[in-house]
Amino acid sequence: MATLKAVRGTRDLLPPETELWNRIEATARAVFARYNFGEIRTPVFEDTALFSRSVGEETDIVSKEMYTWEDRARAQSEKSQSLTLRPENTAGVVRAYIEHKLGETGQLQKLYYIGPQFRRERPQKGRYRQFWQIGAEVIGPPSSGSESPLRDAEVLEMLATLLDELGITGWTLELNSVGSSADRERYNAVLRAALVEVAPKMCVDCQRRAVTNPLRVLDCKVPEDQPIIATLPVIADSLDEDSRAHFAAVTTALNAAGVAYNLNRHLVRGLDYYTRTTFEFTHGGLGAQNALLGGGRYDGLSESIGGPKAPGIGFAMGLDRLVLTLQAQESVESSAAPEKIHAYIAPLGESLNAAALTLARELRRAGLRIDLGDGGFRLKKSLETADKMARRIVILGEDELRSGILTVKDFASGTQTKVPRAELARVLAEPSGR
Ligand code: AMP
């Protein structure tokens, strides 16, 4: 029988690598807490319409990459429904914001999430079909200040702080404004006009987008189309006074806070819901898939899925890519052996197994990291196993059990001592090798 493997584009995360994942997640949670964000967890699958209406029909994500299926009704009272594994989490968060009427609190909502997302992309280094995102959203009714450029600057400053605290060095913040929806409409018209002449020389996708959603032409990855794209008008020239002032206020606040950025007039991002500020943090060490994270403002998203006016701004960072970046940076550190546990308990004979479990329970409750052998093992095997993973071995034979004085061998110094059970936890907690 052919062996079963993880599906193409998905992978297992094993210890000790998962320690790095947990460390990144813990740092992100700690930073978000300092900025007064709370955690939200939304379902992994949603109604397909949520993504087509928000991310956009013409985007690569919706048109090519979603895992969508028709979910058959189980009972007469149910309807069949088209469902999709979430390709991103902002749409789900905004759906939840609307569903739970969070806007009625009048307060700005600051929410973060950590979880898997799914896109049927061509797998390569840093690009998977199941990948993890850490993201956050700041959303609320206009009266909560959700449209303020200060919110944009604060989110970007938080991201700079988070990357610094994760120990990621050498990142670049690419920044642009794609304007309000009115600016976008104006720009779409300019772009559509410019495309009339050049679109026939472009790929078939672009020929279609030139008519249906011209902005998406700018996401095209086909190499032959790039020289043509470079000649197209830029969105900056279509921004009105308000959009220019909003963007200027974002950059003024970033300058004041000392957050460095690159103005990138070609950055439009591959999702339809973005308005005004858009950004990406890139890292040279990642190769072709160089975006650590991306995000932007989405002032019309709530309304596009039937909600109240609720401007917002958010981002999603690729956890897989943070891990790759840190692994490359810390190659020396991460190749070092994982830290050893406090002790390995070796019962001498199966009749001592139950007593060994009790001893392990006592020590673990005292906060020590303990592993437990089996009385069926020979002492030589226990010593070899323990030496690989633990600083000390505790030998539990009939004599030790009766007298309450245990035999402890310290692997670093090679010394063997007798330790009363009442002092065992204290002795095992001491550094080894003495
Ligand atoms: P997006 O939701 O497309 O704006 O992507 C935000 C971030 O998620 C990117 O900057 C990447 O770090 C990460 N990301 C997106 N797609 C993938 C993928 N297929 N595999 C791994 N990470 C991804």
Side-chain angles (χ1 to χ4, degrees), residues 130-148:
Q130 172 171 342
F131 58 97
W132 271 258
Q133 283 185 337
I134 300 179
E137 314 293 346
V138 180
I139 179 170
S143 61
S144 67
S146 55
E147 251 169 319
S148 165

Side-chain angles (χ1 to χ4, degrees), residues 86-347:
R86 62 184 186 199
E88 59 98 63
N89 221 149
T90 301
V93 171
V94 176
R95 189 223 9 93
Y97 170 92
I98 298 166
E99 189 167 333
H100 301 286
K101 301 188 168 52
L102 300 182
E104 288 180 13
T105 62
Q107 301 291 315
L108 203 57
Q109 301 294 310
K110 300 169 84 174
L111 303 165
Y112 78 86
Y113 59 83
I114 300 178
Q117 318 292 335
F118 308 85
R119 295 182 195 172
R120 195 186 285 103
E121 296 195 82
R122 197 170 50 76
Q124 64 180 87
K125 184 178 170 224
R127 189 161 75 189
Y128 311 97
R129 292 183 167 179
Q130 172 171 342
F131 58 97
W132 271 258
Q133 283 185 337
I134 300 179
E137 314 293 346
V138 180
I139 179 170
S143 61
S144 67
S146 55
E147 251 169 319
S148 165
L150 178 58
R151 301 279 72 96
D152 309 38
E154 189 185 28
V155 162
L156 290 164
E157 185 280 318
M158 175 171 81
L159 281 166
T161 297
L162 175 53
L163 292 178
D164 288 347
E165 289 194 15
L166 286 172
I168 291 183
T169 51
W171 49 263
T172 308
L173 162 56
E174 304 277 339
L175 191 62
N176 193 19
S177 172
V178 294
S180 64
S181 55
D183 298 333
R184 296 263 298 266
E185 250 169 63
R186 228 177 5 257
Y187 179 57
N188 264 324
V190 173
L191 205 52
R192 193 174 271 124
L195 283 165
V196 169
E197 202 176 312
V198 293
K201 296 181 223 150
M202 302 181 81
C203 70
V204 281
D205 281 343
C206 282
Q207 294 182 23
R208 194 189 61 248
R209 292 173 186 139
V211 182
T212 55
N213 190 349
L215 192 67
R216 295 277 70 92
V217 169
L218 306 181
D219 300 329
C220 176
K221 304 283 181 315
V222 175
E224 293 75 29
D225 288 355
Q226 300 312 308
I228 301 177
I229 292 172
T231 65
L232 293 171
V234 292
I235 200 160
D237 298 330
S238 296
L239 301 191
D240 69 11
E241 269 314 303
D242 279 356
S243 294
R244 282 173 209 258
H246 192 277
F247 192 54
V250 175
T251 53
T252 302
L254 288 177
N255 293 341
V259 177
Y261 55 88
N262 267 348
L263 286 184
N264 179 346
R265 293 306 191 185
H266 293 281
L267 183 75
V268 291
R269 316 251 324 113
L271 297 85
D272 273 357
Y273 54 62
Y274 286 120
T275 52
R276 294 191 165 166
T277 313
T278 49
F279 56 86
E280 250 172 33
F281 282 70
T282 57
H283 196 279
L286 279 168
Q289 302 302 315
N290 71 347
L292 280 173
L293 69 97
R297 193 164 258 295
Y298 44 81
D299 291 343
L301 176 53
S302 169
E303 289 146 295
S304 74
I305 55 173
K309 191 167 167 54
I313 178 160
F315 64 85
M317 47 209 305
L319 190 42
D320 307 72
R321 294 189 194 173
L322 294 175
V323 169
L324 280 173
T325 308
L326 284 172
Q327 280 172 335
Q329 276 181 210
E330 297 172 4
S331 53
V332 184
E333 205 181 302
S334 55
S335 64
E339 206 196 324
K340 291 196 164 175
I341 61 169
H342 290 101
Y344 181 93
I345 298 176

